[in-house]
mmCIF file of all heavy atoms in Angstrom:
data_model
loop_
_atom_site.group_PDB
_atom_site.id
_atom_site.type_symbol
_atom_site.label_atom_id
_atom_site.label_comp_id
_atom_site.label_asym_id
_atom_site.label_seq_id
_atom_site.Cartn_x
_atom_site.Cartn_y
_atom_site.Cartn_z
ATOM 1 N N LEU G 966 91.737 -48.166 -36.555
ATOM 2 C CA LEU G 966 92.358 -47.096 -37.323
ATOM 3 C C LEU G 966 93.012 -46.145 -36.332
ATOM 4 O O LEU G 966 92.351 -45.357 -35.674
ATOM 5 C CB LEU G 966 91.323 -46.368 -38.174
ATOM 6 C CG LEU G 966 90.563 -47.260 -39.163
ATOM 7 C CD1 LEU G 966 89.570 -46.428 -39.951
ATOM 8 C CD2 LEU G 966 91.524 -47.962 -40.092
ATOM 9 N N ASN G 967 94.320 -46.231 -36.234
ATOM 10 C CA ASN G 967 95.023 -45.501 -35.197
ATOM 11 C C ASN G 967 95.284 -44.045 -35.547
ATOM 12 O O ASN G 967 95.644 -43.254 -34.706
ATOM 13 C CB ASN G 967 96.372 -46.192 -34.914
ATOM 14 C CG ASN G 967 96.162 -47.593 -34.399
ATOM 15 O OD1 ASN G 967 95.275 -47.822 -33.590
ATOM 16 N ND2 ASN G 967 96.976 -48.527 -34.866
ATOM 17 N N ARG G 968 95.121 -43.703 -36.857
ATOM 18 C CA ARG G 968 95.408 -42.340 -37.269
ATOM 19 C C ARG G 968 94.125 -41.606 -37.625
ATOM 20 O O ARG G 968 93.129 -42.208 -37.984
ATOM 21 C CB ARG G 968 96.352 -42.358 -38.475
ATOM 22 C CG ARG G 968 97.756 -42.814 -38.102
ATOM 23 C CD ARG G 968 98.642 -42.861 -39.320
ATOM 24 N NE ARG G 968 98.308 -44.001 -40.167
ATOM 25 C CZ ARG G 968 98.914 -44.247 -41.320
ATOM 26 N NH1 ARG G 968 99.830 -43.428 -41.764
ATOM 27 N NH2 ARG G 968 98.589 -45.304 -42.034
ATOM 28 N N GLU G 969 94.179 -40.320 -37.540
ATOM 29 C CA GLU G 969 93.009 -39.509 -37.844
ATOM 30 C C GLU G 969 92.669 -39.600 -39.320
ATOM 31 O O GLU G 969 93.539 -39.529 -40.172
ATOM 32 C CB GLU G 969 93.303 -38.050 -37.475
ATOM 33 C CG GLU G 969 92.118 -37.113 -37.707
ATOM 34 C CD GLU G 969 92.476 -35.687 -37.381
ATOM 35 O OE1 GLU G 969 93.589 -35.463 -36.858
ATOM 36 O OE2 GLU G 969 91.655 -34.806 -37.657
ATOM 37 N N ILE G 970 91.392 -39.773 -39.622
ATOM 38 C CA ILE G 970 90.960 -39.814 -41.012
ATOM 39 C C ILE G 970 91.089 -38.417 -41.615
ATOM 40 O O ILE G 970 90.618 -37.453 -41.046
ATOM 41 C CB ILE G 970 89.502 -40.302 -41.137
ATOM 42 C CG1 ILE G 970 89.389 -41.713 -40.564
ATOM 43 C CG2 ILE G 970 89.016 -40.264 -42.572
ATOM 44 C CD1 ILE G 970 90.198 -42.745 -41.295
ATOM 45 N N PRO G 971 91.747 -38.274 -42.776
ATOM 46 C CA PRO G 971 91.943 -36.950 -43.361
ATOM 47 C C PRO G 971 90.651 -36.399 -43.937
ATOM 48 O O PRO G 971 89.667 -37.106 -44.102
ATOM 49 C CB PRO G 971 92.969 -37.213 -44.462
ATOM 50 C CG PRO G 971 92.716 -38.631 -44.859
ATOM 51 C CD PRO G 971 92.316 -39.334 -43.603
ATOM 52 N N LEU G 972 90.690 -35.119 -44.269
ATOM 53 C CA LEU G 972 89.508 -34.480 -44.842
ATOM 54 C C LEU G 972 89.198 -35.030 -46.225
ATOM 55 O O LEU G 972 88.048 -35.154 -46.608
ATOM 56 C CB LEU G 972 89.726 -32.963 -44.907
ATOM 57 C CG LEU G 972 89.833 -32.264 -43.552
ATOM 58 C CD1 LEU G 972 90.135 -30.787 -43.746
ATOM 59 C CD2 LEU G 972 88.550 -32.427 -42.758
ATOM 60 N N VAL G 973 90.246 -35.324 -47.011
ATOM 61 C CA VAL G 973 90.028 -35.870 -48.347
ATOM 62 C C VAL G 973 89.833 -37.370 -48.225
ATOM 63 O O VAL G 973 90.734 -38.083 -47.800
ATOM 64 C CB VAL G 973 91.223 -35.562 -49.272
ATOM 65 C CG1 VAL G 973 90.989 -36.152 -50.641
ATOM 66 C CG2 VAL G 973 91.428 -34.067 -49.357
ATOM 67 N N LYS G 974 88.649 -37.848 -48.569
ATOM 68 C CA LYS G 974 88.335 -39.262 -48.390
ATOM 69 C C LYS G 974 87.892 -39.886 -49.706
ATOM 70 O O LYS G 974 87.373 -39.226 -50.589
ATOM 71 C CB LYS G 974 87.227 -39.430 -47.350
ATOM 72 C CG LYS G 974 87.622 -38.937 -45.963
ATOM 73 C CD LYS G 974 86.563 -39.287 -44.942
ATOM 74 C CE LYS G 974 85.296 -38.491 -45.115
ATOM 75 N NZ LYS G 974 84.368 -38.664 -43.986
ATOM 76 N N ILE G 975 88.114 -41.172 -49.813
ATOM 77 C CA ILE G 975 87.641 -41.894 -50.978
ATOM 78 C C ILE G 975 86.116 -41.943 -50.936
ATOM 79 O O ILE G 975 85.525 -42.335 -49.940
ATOM 80 C CB ILE G 975 88.232 -43.313 -51.014
ATOM 81 C CG1 ILE G 975 89.723 -43.238 -51.319
ATOM 82 C CG2 ILE G 975 87.529 -44.177 -52.031
ATOM 83 C CD1 ILE G 975 90.389 -44.571 -51.439
ATOM 84 N N GLU G 976 85.483 -41.539 -52.023
ATOM 85 C CA GLU G 976 84.030 -41.569 -52.091
ATOM 86 C C GLU G 976 83.548 -43.003 -52.303
ATOM 87 O O GLU G 976 84.304 -43.890 -52.700
ATOM 88 C CB GLU G 976 83.554 -40.683 -53.244
ATOM 89 C CG GLU G 976 84.008 -39.224 -53.125
ATOM 90 C CD GLU G 976 83.426 -38.529 -51.918
ATOM 91 O OE1 GLU G 976 82.354 -38.953 -51.468
ATOM 92 O OE2 GLU G 976 84.046 -37.577 -51.422
ATOM 93 N N ALA G 977 82.255 -43.211 -52.066
ATOM 94 C CA ALA G 977 81.699 -44.560 -52.187
ATOM 95 C C ALA G 977 81.883 -45.126 -53.587
ATOM 96 O O ALA G 977 82.014 -46.339 -53.760
ATOM 97 C CB ALA G 977 80.214 -44.533 -51.817
ATOM 98 N N SER G 978 81.907 -44.249 -54.599
ATOM 99 C CA SER G 978 82.064 -44.729 -55.977
ATOM 100 C C SER G 978 83.498 -45.112 -56.293
ATOM 101 O O SER G 978 83.781 -45.603 -57.382
ATOM 102 C CB SER G 978 81.611 -43.643 -56.958
ATOM 103 O OG SER G 978 82.406 -42.479 -56.815
#
Side-chain angles (χ1 to χ4, degrees):
L966 302 180
N967 298 319
R968 290 178 286 178
E969 182 182 353
I970 300 297
L972 294 176
V973 179
K974 297 187 290 190
I975 290 183
E976 302 296 334
S978 61

